[in-house]
């Protein structure tokens, strides 16, 4: 995500041209970038997120959450795109008359949460509840508990966390405790075996 977010900096200053929702968990955000034309941000929840210039075949009538996002974000400007620490969470700050934050969670089932600038939730794609937080309209958005930043961890700390884990496999420990997700955790373990 760190590198994708770096690539997405091209969208800072761009204008939201159109938002499309293809199905419950597939969104296309089309931006107009000055001197470069149209760029499309594809979000396929829970885990794919990339920039393309590819075409869009949207449904003839926008789905509910898409119509909601258009109301707030069409013709807005992108002011900032950032990753929350090492988490699989992207924040996009939009500005129209007011500022809005779109939080994109790329873990578990994935989610889009549109918030006011102060992180009061206007509406999530999907309401969710965990032991440590709830994603519901009107509540303050709370980030999940922070995980270890694997790009800064020492070998001793890594070893201690692995040995102290209550998960039944190394894959689950890497996926959950380090926030790497199942696919990345399996690939890491596969690479070690090779």
């Amino acid at each position: 995500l760190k590198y994708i977010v770096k690539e997405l900096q091209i969208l800072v200053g761009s204008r939201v041209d159109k938002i499309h929702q293809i199905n419950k968990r597939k969104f296309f955000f089309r931006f107009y970038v000055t001197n470069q034309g149209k760029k499309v941000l594809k979000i396929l929840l829970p885990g794919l997120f990339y920039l393309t210039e590819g075409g869009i075949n949207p449904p003839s009538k926008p789905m509910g959450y898409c119509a909601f996002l258009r109301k707030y974000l069409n013709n807005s400007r992108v002011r900032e795109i950032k990753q929350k620490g090492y988490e699989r969470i992207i924040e996009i700050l939009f500005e129209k008359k007011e500022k809005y934050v779109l939080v994109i969670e790329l873990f578990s089932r994935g989610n889009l949460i549109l918030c006011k600038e102060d992180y009061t939730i206007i509406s999530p794609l999907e309401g969710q509840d965990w032991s440590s937080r709830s994603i519901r309209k009107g509540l303050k958005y709370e980030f999940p508990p922070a995980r270890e930043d694997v790009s800064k961890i020492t070998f001793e700390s890594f070893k201690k966390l692995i040995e102290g884990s209550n998960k039944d496999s190394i894959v689950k420990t890497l996926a959950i405790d380090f926030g790497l997700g199942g696919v990345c955790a399996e690939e890491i373990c596969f690479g070690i075996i090779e």
Side-chain angles (χ1 to χ4, degrees):
L1 278 182
K2 174 182 171 182
Y3 297 103
I4 292 172
V5 168
K6 189 175 179 181
E7 178 185 343
L8 293 178
Q9 297 309 305
I10 192 172
L11 297 177
V12 174
S14 70
R15 179 180 51 81
V16 177
D17 187 41
K18 196 65 127 175
I19 300 169
H20 297 286
Q21 183 177 5
I22 307 307
N23 60 38
K24 173 92 172 139
R25 308 187 92 57
K26 187 175 185 179
F27 292 83
F28 294 171
F29 284 68
R30 191 171 64 205
F31 299 90
Y32 180 76
V33 180
T34 306
N35 299 325
Q36 295 193 37
K38 294 181 180 177
K39 303 283 183 187
V40 177
L41 177 62
K42 292 187 177 184
I43 304 169
L44 289 76
L45 297 171
L48 290 175
F49 182 85
Y50 60 94
L51 193 61
T52 182
E53 294 176 9
I56 302 170
N57 295 318
S60 55
K61 185 178 177 188
M63 296 175 76
Y65 198 70
C66 176
F68 163 78
L69 288 174
R70 285 180 181 182
K71 175 183 169 187
Y72 286 90
L73 301 179
N74 266 6
N75 294 313
S76 64
R77 294 269 176 197
V78 176
R79 295 301 179 208
E80 185 178 19
I81 301 172
K82 62 184 179 179
Q83 180 180 8
K84 174 64 176 172
Y86 190 72
E87 301 294 327
R88 289 178 286 156
I89 298 172
I90 304 296
E91 299 172 77
I92 304 177
L93 177 64
F94 295 91
E95 185 174 17
K96 204 172 184 177
K97 290 179 183 175
E98 297 181 47
K99 292 181 181 177
Y100 301 101
V101 179
L102 182 65
V103 179
I104 305 165
E105 295 185 340
L106 299 167
F107 57 87
S108 186
R109 293 175 42 100
N111 210 349
L112 298 180
I113 303 110
L114 186 66
C115 303
K116 295 179 182 176
E117 186 180 13
D118 68 356
Y119 288 86
T120 300
I121 298 171
I122 299 170
S123 182
L125 171 63
E126 187 175 89
Q128 296 175 329
D129 295 297
W130 289 276
S131 60
S132 61
R133 66 192 190 113
S134 290
I135 305 292
R136 300 277 173 206
K137 178 180 179 177
L139 296 178
K140 276 274 201 198
Y141 177 80
E142 292 182 35
F143 290 97
R147 296 188 168 130
E148 197 69 44
D149 182 343
V150 296
S151 69
K152 297 177 181 169
I153 193 169
T154 65
F155 179 74
E156 285 305 313
S157 297
F158 175 77
K159 184 177 172 185
K160 196 175 194 178
L161 287 166
I162 295 294
E163 290 172 347
S165 176
N166 61 357
K167 308 293 184 293
D168 61 3
S169 74
I170 186 76
V171 171
K172 287 183 181 177
T173 300
L174 292 172
I176 297 167
D177 294 350
F178 290 91
L180 296 175
V183 173
C184 287
E186 287 178 10
E187 289 298 320
I188 289 168
C189 290
F190 181 73
I192 292 170
I193 293 169
E194 297 252 318

